[in-house]
Amino acid sequence: MQLGVIGLGRMGQIVVDRVLEAGHDVVAFDLDEGAVERAADAGATPASSLEDFCQTLGDEKRIWLMVPAGDPVDATLESLDSYLGADDVVVDGGNSYFEHTVRRAEACPAAYLDCGTSGGPAGAELGFSLMVGGPQWAYEALEPAFDAVATGPDGHARMGPSGSGHYVKMVHNGVEYALMQTYGEGFELLHEGRYDLDLEAVASVWNNGAVIRSWLLELCEEAFREEGTDLGDVADRIEGGSTGTWTVQEALEQEVPLPLIYTALGERFGSRADDGRFSRRLANRLRYGFGRHEVQRRDE
């Protein structure tokens, strides 16, 4: 199939690379000309403007947006509006708020798919987990691309109508907050407790057959290996928080108790005070592990 990709940052370039590797054609556009050149070097057809992009795609456009959530999505859709029709499909692969997604789907001339994406840059080689919302026919039309970008056919599924993909991804991120928090608290007790422990060794043993083994625990092991058991100069500051906030807000509206996720969100905001909590420092480093987010460092 032919897929147009708008937004060629870290995640967008991975989409381009994986779709090309699967034998499909890609038309690539970004406001950054250097990013377009890199996509062209990988084998994509470069577009010099959105008009050029849409003309190159021709009829029945299949477009994947990988632009930052919020205003950039609305601005891109507004620019595309006059080029889109009912037979076209637009995928929003970013972390958009699900209610904004529903609004965009209702206004978009094309079929609109919201695609929650998990795995981060570190999962580029294996592929991503894709949670998709929107019309069934549009999902089926994009299945070849989803197969390529995900870990394979089992790595993606249609969750339901518009908004459901981003809704599931929102809750996924809330669960992620709580898991990071509980690993951080456990290792904080080991670090401050009775024994002088090699935390890399602890994480390694736990990852080999223990009930709590996971990719996040593998990233804990990586953090201790690269930073040391005391995490070196990694700061007590955890960035992010929007998707966790949305999760807690939705839980309040639905009257569903989420004490662990709420506490993890509070710890994330509390980290802005920089009081030296080891658990927060580990969570800071874990965000680099799965998303290659910048590690906040302490001033020595």
Side-chain angles (χ1 to χ4, degrees):
M1 68 176 294
Q2 183 188 57
L3 182 72
V5 179
I6 299 177
L8 304 173
R10 290 179 299 178
M11 296 292 285
Q13 185 60 54
I14 293 171
V15 171
V16 169
D17 291 341
R18 292 190 62 85
V19 172
L20 288 171
E21 288 173 7
H24 305 296
D25 297 326
V26 173
V27 180
F29 175 72
D30 194 288
L31 296 176
D32 181 348
E33 294 181 1
V36 176
E37 291 176 1
R38 288 189 291 275
D41 290 341
T45 300
S48 58
S49 65
L50 278 180
E51 181 179 8
D52 180 33
F53 174 84
C54 291
Q55 288 177 347
T56 304
L57 287 176
D59 297 333
E60 295 189 353
K61 302 172 186 64
R62 308 295 185 245
I63 299 173
W64 193 305
L65 305 183
M66 265 303 190
V67 300
D71 292 340
V73 178
D74 290 315
T76 304
L77 289 173
E78 183 177 355
S79 298
L80 286 171
D81 190 83
S82 62
Y83 300 103
L84 298 176
D87 294 329
D88 301 325
V89 180
V90 175
V91 178
D92 177 5
N95 261 339
S96 292
Y97 183 47
F98 75 95
E99 289 188 352
H100 296 171
T101 295
V102 173
R103 167 179 58 79
R104 290 167 183 148
E106 292 173 349
C108 186
Y112 199 78
L113 296 176
D114 47 296
C115 180
T117 306
S118 181
E125 293 184 8
L126 296 175
F128 301 129
S129 171
L130 304 178
M131 299 141 264
V132 186
Q136 180 70 36
W137 75 264
Y139 172 75
E140 293 175 357
L142 266 291
E143 279 195 281
F146 292 143
D147 285 346
V149 176
T151 54
D154 292 336
H156 64 87
R158 178 178 176 268
M159 302 290 105
S162 296
S164 62
H166 283 153
Y167 188 90
V168 172
K169 178 54 164 57
M170 174 188 74
V171 177
H172 162 283
N173 283 20
V175 172
E176 177 187 295
Y177 284 31
L179 289 173
M180 291 169 65
Q181 177 67 23
T182 196
Y183 279 129
E185 290 183 7
F187 279 111
E188 182 168 12
L189 178 57
L190 293 176
H191 183 262
E192 304 295 338
R194 296 172 181 267
Y195 300 99
D196 182 13
L197 297 170
D198 180 341
L199 297 188
E200 179 190 349
V202 172
S204 177
V205 169
W206 282 354
N207 267 319
N208 283 275
V211 171
I212 60 172
R213 64 189 182 275
S214 72
W215 184 42
L216 275 177
L217 188 55
E218 291 175 11
L219 296 176
C220 291
E221 183 180 348
E222 173 190 284
F224 295 128
R225 180 172 62 251
E226 296 183 0
E227 305 286 352
T229 282
D230 65 355
L231 292 179
D233 63 353
V234 174
D236 171 8
R237 184 176 178 87
I238 315 166
E239 297 294 349
S242 58
T243 50
T245 299
W246 300 339
T247 303
V248 170
Q249 289 172 338
E250 175 67 3
L252 292 172
E253 289 188 21
Q254 300 301 326
E255 298 184 357
V256 175
L258 302 181
L260 296 180
I261 295 175
Y262 178 81
T263 299
L265 179 65
E267 282 292 300
R268 183 166 293 212
F269 291 151
S271 77
R272 313 295 159 80
D274 193 18
D275 61 3
R277 287 288 304 278
F278 188 85
S279 58
R280 296 169 180 168
R281 294 170 62 208
L282 179 55
N284 173 6
R285 185 52 171 72
L286 286 175
R287 293 185 77 248
Y288 171 79
F290 63 74
R292 292 301 182 254
H293 301 288
E294 181 181 358
V295 179
Q296 301 297 314
R297 302 283 180 178
R298 295 185 295 187
D299 295 329
E300 296 295 344

Short mmCIF file of all heavy atoms in Angstrom, two decimals, residues 201-260:
data_model
loop_
_atom_site.label_atom_id
_atom_site.label_comp_id
_atom_site.label_asym_id
_atom_site.label_seq_id
_atom_site.Cartn_x
_atom_site.Cartn_y
_atom_site.Cartn_z
N ALA A 201 21.92 -6.58 40.21
CA ALA A 201 21.81 -8.02 40.40
C ALA A 201 20.42 -8.42 40.86
O ALA A 201 19.87 -9.44 40.43
CB ALA A 201 22.86 -8.49 41.40
N VAL A 202 19.82 -7.61 41.74
CA VAL A 202 18.46 -7.90 42.20
C VAL A 202 17.50 -7.89 41.02
O VAL A 202 16.70 -8.81 40.83
CB VAL A 202 18.02 -6.87 43.27
CG1 VAL A 202 16.54 -7.07 43.60
CG2 VAL A 202 18.87 -7.00 44.52
N ALA A 203 17.59 -6.82 40.21
CA ALA A 203 16.68 -6.70 39.06
C ALA A 203 16.89 -7.85 38.09
O ALA A 203 15.93 -8.39 37.52
CB ALA A 203 16.90 -5.36 38.36
N SER A 204 18.16 -8.24 37.89
CA SER A 204 18.46 -9.34 36.97
C SER A 204 17.85 -10.65 37.45
O SER A 204 17.24 -11.40 36.67
CB SER A 204 19.98 -9.49 36.82
OG SER A 204 20.30 -10.58 35.98
N VAL A 205 17.98 -10.94 38.73
CA VAL A 205 17.41 -12.17 39.28
C VAL A 205 15.88 -12.14 39.18
O VAL A 205 15.24 -13.13 38.80
CB VAL A 205 17.87 -12.37 40.73
CG1 VAL A 205 17.08 -13.49 41.41
CG2 VAL A 205 19.36 -12.69 40.78
N TRP A 206 15.28 -11.01 39.53
CA TRP A 206 13.83 -10.90 39.44
C TRP A 206 13.34 -11.10 38.00
O TRP A 206 12.25 -11.62 37.77
CB TRP A 206 13.38 -9.53 39.95
CG TRP A 206 13.35 -9.43 41.45
CD1 TRP A 206 13.56 -10.41 42.36
CD2 TRP A 206 13.08 -8.24 42.20
NE1 TRP A 206 13.44 -9.92 43.64
CE2 TRP A 206 13.14 -8.59 43.58
CE3 TRP A 206 12.80 -6.92 41.86
CZ2 TRP A 206 12.93 -7.65 44.60
CZ3 TRP A 206 12.58 -5.99 42.87
CH2 TRP A 206 12.65 -6.35 44.23
N ASN A 207 14.15 -10.67 37.04
CA ASN A 207 13.72 -10.78 35.65
C ASN A 207 13.84 -12.19 35.10
O ASN A 207 13.40 -12.45 33.98
CB ASN A 207 14.55 -9.82 34.77
CG ASN A 207 13.86 -8.48 34.60
OD1 ASN A 207 12.65 -8.44 34.41
ND2 ASN A 207 14.62 -7.41 34.65
N ASN A 208 14.43 -13.07 35.85
CA ASN A 208 14.59 -14.45 35.40
C ASN A 208 13.67 -15.37 36.19
O ASN A 208 14.09 -16.04 37.13
CB ASN A 208 16.05 -14.89 35.53
CG ASN A 208 16.91 -14.32 34.42
OD1 ASN A 208 16.99 -14.90 33.33
ND2 ASN A 208 17.53 -13.18 34.68
N GLY A 209 12.38 -15.33 35.83
CA GLY A 209 11.41 -16.26 36.39
C GLY A 209 10.55 -15.74 37.51
O GLY A 209 9.59 -16.41 37.89
N ALA A 210 10.85 -14.55 38.06
CA ALA A 210 10.05 -14.05 39.18
C ALA A 210 8.67 -13.58 38.71
O ALA A 210 8.49 -13.22 37.54
CB ALA A 210 10.78 -12.89 39.87
N VAL A 211 7.72 -13.56 39.62
CA VAL A 211 6.35 -13.14 39.30
C VAL A 211 6.33 -11.71 38.76
O VAL A 211 5.52 -11.38 37.89
CB VAL A 211 5.46 -13.26 40.56
CG1 VAL A 211 4.10 -12.63 40.32
CG2 VAL A 211 5.30 -14.72 40.95
N ILE A 212 7.21 -10.85 39.24
CA ILE A 212 7.16 -9.43 38.88
C ILE A 212 8.07 -9.08 37.71
O ILE A 212 8.36 -7.90 37.47
CB ILE A 212 7.49 -8.54 40.09
CG1 ILE A 212 8.90 -8.83 40.63
CG2 ILE A 212 6.44 -8.71 41.18
CD1 ILE A 212 9.34 -7.83 41.70
N ARG A 213 8.55 -10.07 36.96
CA ARG A 213 9.39 -9.78 35.80
C ARG A 213 8.59 -8.99 34.76
O ARG A 213 7.39 -9.20 34.60
CB ARG A 213 9.95 -11.05 35.19
CG ARG A 213 8.93 -12.01 34.61
CD ARG A 213 9.58 -13.33 34.23
NE ARG A 213 8.67 -14.28 33.62
CZ ARG A 213 7.90 -15.11 34.28
NH1 ARG A 213 7.90 -15.09 35.62
NH2 ARG A 213 7.11 -15.97 33.65
N SER A 214 9.27 -8.09 34.04
CA SER A 214 8.61 -7.27 33.03
C SER A 214 9.65 -6.48 32.27
O SER A 214 10.83 -6.42 32.65
CB SER A 214 7.61 -6.30 33.69
OG SER A 214 8.32 -5.27 34.36
N TRP A 215 9.20 -5.81 31.19
CA TRP A 215 10.10 -4.93 30.44
C TRP A 215 10.53 -3.75 31.31
O TRP A 215 11.69 -3.34 31.28
CB TRP A 215 9.43 -4.44 29.15
CG TRP A 215 10.35 -3.61 28.29
CD1 TRP A 215 11.66 -3.84 28.02
CD2 TRP A 215 10.02 -2.40 27.62
NE1 TRP A 215 12.18 -2.86 27.20
CE2 TRP A 215 11.19 -1.96 26.94
CE3 TRP A 215 8.86 -1.64 27.51
CZ2 TRP A 215 11.22 -0.80 26.16
CZ3 TRP A 215 8.89 -0.48 26.72
CH2 TRP A 215 10.06 -0.08 26.07
N LEU A 216 9.61 -3.20 32.09
CA LEU A 216 9.99 -2.10 32.98
C LEU A 216 11.08 -2.54 33.97
O LEU A 216 11.99 -1.78 34.28
CB LEU A 216 8.77 -1.58 33.75
CG LEU A 216 7.90 -0.53 33.06
CD1 LEU A 216 6.70 -0.19 33.94
CD2 LEU A 216 8.69 0.73 32.74
N LEU A 217 10.99 -3.77 34.45
CA LEU A 217 12.01 -4.27 35.36
C LEU A 217 13.34 -4.45 34.62
O LEU A 217 14.41 -4.23 35.18
CB LEU A 217 11.56 -5.57 36.01
CG LEU A 217 12.44 -6.11 37.14
CD1 LEU A 217 12.65 -5.08 38.24
CD2 LEU A 217 11.83 -7.38 37.72
N GLU A 218 13.28 -4.85 33.36
CA GLU A 218 14.50 -4.91 32.56
C GLU A 218 15.13 -3.51 32.44
O GLU A 218 16.36 -3.36 32.46
CB GLU A 218 14.20 -5.46 31.16
CG GLU A 218 13.82 -6.92 31.13
CD GLU A 218 13.42 -7.38 29.75
OE1 GLU A 218 13.63 -6.61 28.79
OE2 GLU A 218 12.90 -8.50 29.62
N LEU A 219 14.29 -2.49 32.33
CA LEU A 219 14.79 -1.12 32.25
C LEU A 219 15.35 -0.66 33.59
O LEU A 219 16.27 0.18 33.63
CB LEU A 219 13.68 -0.18 31.77
CG LEU A 219 13.17 -0.45 30.34
CD1 LEU A 219 12.00 0.47 30.01
CD2 LEU A 219 14.28 -0.30 29.32
N CYS A 220 14.80 -1.16 34.71
CA CYS A 220 15.42 -0.90 36.01
C CYS A 220 16.84 -1.47 36.03
O CYS A 220 17.78 -0.81 36.49
CB CYS A 220 14.60 -1.54 37.14
SG CYS A 220 12.99 -0.79 37.46
N GLU A 221 16.96 -2.69 35.54
CA GLU A 221 18.28 -3.33 35.50
C GLU A 221 19.25 -2.50 34.65
O GLU A 221 20.40 -2.27 35.04
CB GLU A 221 18.13 -4.73 34.92
CG GLU A 221 19.42 -5.53 34.87
CD GLU A 221 19.20 -6.93 34.29
OE1 GLU A 221 18.04 -7.35 34.13
OE2 GLU A 221 20.23 -7.59 33.99
N GLU A 222 18.77 -2.03 33.51
CA GLU A 222 19.59 -1.18 32.64
C GLU A 222 20.01 0.10 33.37
O GLU A 222 21.16 0.54 33.28
CB GLU A 222 18.82 -0.82 31.38
CG GLU A 222 19.49 0.20 30.47
CD GLU A 222 18.57 0.69 29.37
OE1 GLU A 222 18.37 -0.07 28.40
OE2 GLU A 222 18.04 1.82 29.49
N ALA A 223 19.07 0.71 34.10
CA ALA A 223 19.36 1.96 34.82
C ALA A 223 20.46 1.75 35.85
O ALA A 223 21.39 2.57 35.96
CB ALA A 223 18.09 2.48 35.49
N PHE A 224 20.36 0.68 36.62
CA PHE A 224 21.38 0.43 37.65
C PHE A 224 22.72 0.06 37.02
O PHE A 224 23.78 0.42 37.54
CB PHE A 224 20.91 -0.67 38.61
CG PHE A 224 19.70 -0.29 39.42
CD1 PHE A 224 18.59 -1.13 39.45
CD2 PHE A 224 19.66 0.89 40.13
CE1 PHE A 224 17.47 -0.78 40.19
CE2 PHE A 224 18.54 1.25 40.87
CZ PHE A 224 17.44 0.41 40.90
N ARG A 225 22.68 -0.63 35.90
CA ARG A 225 23.93 -0.99 35.21
C ARG A 225 24.64 0.26 34.69
O ARG A 225 25.87 0.39 34.78
CB ARG A 225 23.63 -1.95 34.07
CG ARG A 225 24.89 -2.38 33.30
CD ARG A 225 24.57 -3.49 32.31
NE ARG A 225 23.61 -3.09 31.28
CZ ARG A 225 22.35 -3.52 31.23
NH1 ARG A 225 21.89 -4.35 32.14
NH2 ARG A 225 21.55 -3.11 30.27
N GLU A 226 23.88 1.20 34.14
CA GLU A 226 24.48 2.37 33.51
C GLU A 226 24.72 3.53 34.46
O GLU A 226 25.63 4.33 34.25
CB GLU A 226 23.61 2.83 32.33
CG GLU A 226 23.52 1.78 31.23
CD GLU A 226 22.71 2.26 30.02
OE1 GLU A 226 22.22 3.41 30.05
OE2 GLU A 226 22.58 1.47 29.05
N GLU A 227 23.92 3.62 35.53
CA GLU A 227 24.04 4.75 36.44
C GLU A 227 24.67 4.36 37.78
O GLU A 227 25.11 5.24 38.52
CB GLU A 227 22.66 5.37 36.71
CG GLU A 227 21.88 5.79 35.47
CD GLU A 227 22.43 7.04 34.81
OE1 GLU A 227 23.33 7.69 35.39
OE2 GLU A 227 21.96 7.38 33.70
N GLY A 228 24.68 3.07 38.10
CA GLY A 228 25.15 2.60 39.40
C GLY A 228 23.99 2.37 40.34
O GLY A 228 22.88 2.88 40.15
N THR A 229 24.24 1.60 41.41
CA THR A 229 23.20 1.27 42.37
C THR A 229 22.58 2.51 43.01
O THR A 229 21.39 2.53 43.32
CB THR A 229 23.76 0.33 43.46
OG1 THR A 229 23.85 -1.00 42.92
CG2 THR A 229 22.87 0.28 44.69
N ASP A 230 23.36 3.57 43.20
CA ASP A 230 22.81 4.79 43.81
C ASP A 230 22.26 5.76 42.78
O ASP A 230 21.87 6.87 43.12
CB ASP A 230 23.87 5.47 44.69
CG ASP A 230 25.06 5.98 43.88
OD1 ASP A 230 25.12 5.72 42.66
OD2 ASP A 230 25.94 6.63 44.48
N LEU A 231 22.22 5.36 41.51
CA LEU A 231 21.69 6.15 40.39
C LEU A 231 22.47 7.44 40.12
O LEU A 231 21.97 8.33 39.42
CB LEU A 231 20.20 6.47 40.59
CG LEU A 231 19.26 5.26 40.51
CD1 LEU A 231 17.82 5.69 40.76
CD2 LEU A 231 19.38 4.54 39.18
N GLY A 232 23.65 7.55 40.64
CA GLY A 232 24.54 8.66 40.30
C GLY A 232 23.90 10.02 40.48
O GLY A 232 23.38 10.34 41.56
N ASP A 233 23.90 10.82 39.41
CA ASP A 233 23.37 12.18 39.51
C ASP A 233 21.96 12.31 38.94
O ASP A 233 21.50 13.41 38.63
CB ASP A 233 24.31 13.16 38.78
CG ASP A 233 24.42 12.90 37.28
OD1 ASP A 233 23.88 11.87 36.82
OD2 ASP A 233 25.05 13.71 36.58
N VAL A 234 21.26 11.17 38.79
CA VAL A 234 19.88 11.23 38.31
C VAL A 234 19.03 12.00 39.32
O VAL A 234 19.05 11.72 40.51
CB VAL A 234 19.31 9.81 38.09
CG1 VAL A 234 17.83 9.88 37.74
CG2 VAL A 234 20.08 9.08 37.00
N ALA A 235 18.29 12.96 38.83
CA ALA A 235 17.54 13.86 39.71
C ALA A 235 16.22 13.25 40.17
O ALA A 235 15.66 12.36 39.52
CB ALA A 235 17.26 15.18 38.99
N ASP A 236 15.71 13.76 41.27
CA ASP A 236 14.37 13.44 41.77
C ASP A 236 13.39 14.38 41.08
O ASP A 236 12.88 15.34 41.65
CB ASP A 236 14.34 13.62 43.29
CG ASP A 236 12.93 13.51 43.86
OD1 ASP A 236 12.01 13.15 43.11
OD2 ASP A 236 12.75 13.81 45.05
N ARG A 237 13.15 14.12 39.80
CA ARG A 237 12.20 14.94 39.05
C ARG A 237 11.67 14.10 37.90
O ARG A 237 12.42 13.65 37.04
CB ARG A 237 12.85 16.21 38.50
CG ARG A 237 11.85 17.12 37.78
CD ARG A 237 12.46 18.43 37.33
NE ARG A 237 11.49 19.24 36.62
CZ ARG A 237 10.63 20.09 37.19
NH1 ARG A 237 10.66 20.23 38.51
NH2 ARG A 237 9.78 20.79 36.48
N ILE A 238 10.35 13.88 37.88
CA ILE A 238 9.70 13.06 36.87
C ILE A 238 8.85 13.98 35.99
O ILE A 238 7.88 14.57 36.46
CB ILE A 238 8.81 11.97 37.49
CG1 ILE A 238 9.53 11.27 38.64
CG2 ILE A 238 8.38 10.96 36.42
CD1 ILE A 238 8.60 10.43 39.50
N GLU A 239 9.23 14.11 34.73
CA GLU A 239 8.48 14.97 33.83
C GLU A 239 7.21 14.26 33.36
O GLU A 239 6.93 13.11 33.73
CB GLU A 239 9.36 15.35 32.64
CG GLU A 239 10.60 16.17 33.01
CD GLU A 239 10.27 17.54 33.56
OE1 GLU A 239 9.10 17.97 33.47
OE2 GLU A 239 11.18 18.19 34.09
N GLY A 240 6.47 14.90 32.49
CA GLY A 240 5.22 14.33 32.00
C GLY A 240 4.10 14.47 33.02
O GLY A 240 4.24 15.16 34.03
N GLY A 241 2.97 13.84 32.74
CA GLY A 241 1.86 13.88 33.68
C GLY A 241 0.50 14.09 33.04
O GLY A 241 -0.53 13.88 33.70
N SER A 242 0.46 14.49 31.76
CA SER A 242 -0.84 14.82 31.16
C SER A 242 -1.75 13.60 31.03
O SER A 242 -2.93 13.65 31.42
CB SER A 242 -0.64 15.47 29.79
OG SER A 242 0.09 14.63 28.92
N THR A 243 -1.22 12.48 30.53
CA THR A 243 -2.09 11.32 30.35
C THR A 243 -2.53 10.73 31.68
O THR A 243 -3.66 10.23 31.81
CB THR A 243 -1.39 10.24 29.50
OG1 THR A 243 -0.08 9.98 30.04
CG2 THR A 243 -1.26 10.67 28.06
N GLY A 244 -1.66 10.79 32.70
CA GLY A 244 -2.06 10.34 34.02
C GLY A 244 -3.15 11.23 34.61
O GLY A 244 -4.08 10.75 35.27
N THR A 245 -3.03 12.52 34.38
CA THR A 245 -4.06 13.46 34.84
C THR A 245 -5.39 13.17 34.17
O THR A 245 -6.45 13.14 34.83
CB THR A 245 -3.63 14.90 34.54
OG1 THR A 245 -2.41 15.20 35.24
CG2 THR A 245 -4.69 15.90 34.98
N TRP A 246 -5.36 12.93 32.85
CA TRP A 246 -6.61 12.59 32.14
C TRP A 246 -7.22 11.31 32.71
O TRP A 246 -8.45 11.22 32.86
CB TRP A 246 -6.34 12.38 30.65
CG TRP A 246 -5.78 13.57 29.94
CD1 TRP A 246 -5.85 14.88 30.32
CD2 TRP A 246 -5.07 13.55 28.69
NE1 TRP A 246 -5.22 15.68 29.40
CE2 TRP A 246 -4.73 14.90 28.39
CE3 TRP A 246 -4.68 12.55 27.81
CZ2 TRP A 246 -4.03 15.25 27.24
CZ3 TRP A 246 -3.98 12.89 26.66
CH2 TRP A 246 -3.66 14.22 26.38
N THR A 247 -6.39 10.34 33.04
CA THR A 247 -6.89 9.07 33.58
C THR A 247 -7.59 9.30 34.92
O THR A 247 -8.70 8.78 35.16
CB THR A 247 -5.74 8.07 33.77
OG1 THR A 247 -5.07 7.85 32.52
CG2 THR A 247 -6.24 6.74 34.30
N VAL A 248 -6.97 10.08 35.79
CA VAL A 248 -7.56 10.35 37.10
C VAL A 248 -8.84 11.17 36.95
O VAL A 248 -9.85 10.91 37.64
CB VAL A 248 -6.54 11.07 38.01
CG1 VAL A 248 -7.21 11.59 39.28
CG2 VAL A 248 -5.40 10.12 38.37
N GLN A 249 -8.85 12.14 36.05
CA GLN A 249 -10.05 12.94 35.83
C GLN A 249 -11.20 12.06 35.34
O GLN A 249 -12.35 12.21 35.80
CB GLN A 249 -9.76 14.05 34.80
CG GLN A 249 -8.87 15.16 35.32
CD GLN A 249 -8.45 16.14 34.24
OE1 GLN A 249 -8.48 15.82 33.05
NE2 GLN A 249 -8.05 17.34 34.65
N GLU A 250 -10.91 11.14 34.43
CA GLU A 250 -11.95 10.24 33.93
C GLU A 250 -12.44 9.32 35.04
O GLU A 250 -13.65 9.04 35.14
CB GLU A 250 -11.40 9.42 32.76
CG GLU A 250 -12.33 8.35 32.23
CD GLU A 250 -13.59 8.88 31.56
OE1 GLU A 250 -13.74 10.13 31.43
OE2 GLU A 250 -14.43 8.06 31.17
N ALA A 251 -11.53 8.86 35.89
CA ALA A 251 -11.94 8.00 37.00
C ALA A 251 -12.88 8.75 37.95
O ALA A 251 -13.85 8.17 38.46
CB ALA A 251 -10.70 7.52 37.76
N LEU A 252 -12.59 10.01 38.19
CA LEU A 252 -13.47 10.81 39.06
C LEU A 252 -14.86 10.96 38.43
O LEU A 252 -15.88 10.85 39.11
CB LEU A 252 -12.85 12.18 39.31
CG LEU A 252 -11.57 12.19 40.16
CD1 LEU A 252 -10.95 13.59 40.17
CD2 LEU A 252 -11.87 11.73 41.59
N GLU A 253 -14.90 11.19 37.10
CA GLU A 253 -16.18 11.36 36.42
C GLU A 253 -16.98 10.06 36.44
O GLU A 253 -18.21 10.06 36.58
CB GLU A 253 -15.97 11.83 34.98
CG GLU A 253 -15.48 13.26 34.87
CD GLU A 253 -15.46 13.74 33.43
OE1 GLU A 253 -16.18 13.15 32.59
OE2 GLU A 253 -14.73 14.70 33.14
N GLN A 254 -16.29 8.93 36.30
CA GLN A 254 -16.97 7.63 36.26
C GLN A 254 -17.13 7.02 37.65
O GLN A 254 -17.70 5.93 37.79
CB GLN A 254 -16.18 6.66 35.37
CG GLN A 254 -16.02 7.12 33.93
CD GLN A 254 -17.33 7.34 33.23
OE1 GLN A 254 -18.32 6.65 33.48
NE2 GLN A 254 -17.37 8.34 32.34
N GLU A 255 -16.62 7.70 38.68
CA GLU A 255 -16.68 7.25 40.07
C GLU A 255 -16.03 5.87 40.23
O GLU A 255 -16.57 4.96 40.90
CB GLU A 255 -18.12 7.25 40.58
CG GLU A 255 -18.74 8.65 40.58
CD GLU A 255 -20.14 8.68 41.18
OE1 GLU A 255 -20.66 7.60 41.56
OE2 GLU A 255 -20.71 9.78 41.29
N VAL A 256 -14.87 5.71 39.59
CA VAL A 256 -14.09 4.48 39.70
C VAL A 256 -12.85 4.78 40.54
O VAL A 256 -12.06 5.67 40.19
CB VAL A 256 -13.67 3.97 38.31
CG1 VAL A 256 -12.75 2.75 38.44
CG2 VAL A 256 -14.90 3.63 37.47
N PRO A 257 -12.64 4.10 41.66
CA PRO A 257 -11.49 4.40 42.50
C PRO A 257 -10.19 3.89 41.89
O PRO A 257 -10.08 2.72 41.51
CB PRO A 257 -11.79 3.65 43.81
CG PRO A 257 -12.67 2.51 43.39
CD PRO A 257 -13.49 3.02 42.23
N LEU A 258 -9.21 4.78 41.78
CA LEU A 258 -7.88 4.42 41.26
C LEU A 258 -6.80 4.91 42.23
O LEU A 258 -5.99 5.77 41.88
CB LEU A 258 -7.65 5.05 39.88
CG LEU A 258 -8.62 4.72 38.75
CD1 LEU A 258 -8.19 5.43 37.48
CD2 LEU A 258 -8.71 3.22 38.52
N PRO A 259 -6.77 4.39 43.45
CA PRO A 259 -5.84 4.95 44.44
C PRO A 259 -4.37 4.82 44.05
O PRO A 259 -3.57 5.71 44.33
CB PRO A 259 -6.16 4.14 45.71
CG PRO A 259 -6.82 2.88 45.24
CD PRO A 259 -7.58 3.29 44.02
N LEU A 260 -3.98 3.73 43.41
CA LEU A 260 -2.57 3.56 43.05
C LEU A 260 -2.15 4.55 41.97
O LEU A 260 -1.09 5.17 42.05
CB LEU A 260 -2.31 2.12 42.60
CG LEU A 260 -2.53 1.03 43.64
CD1 LEU A 260 -2.24 -0.34 43.03
CD2 LEU A 260 -1.65 1.25 44.86
#
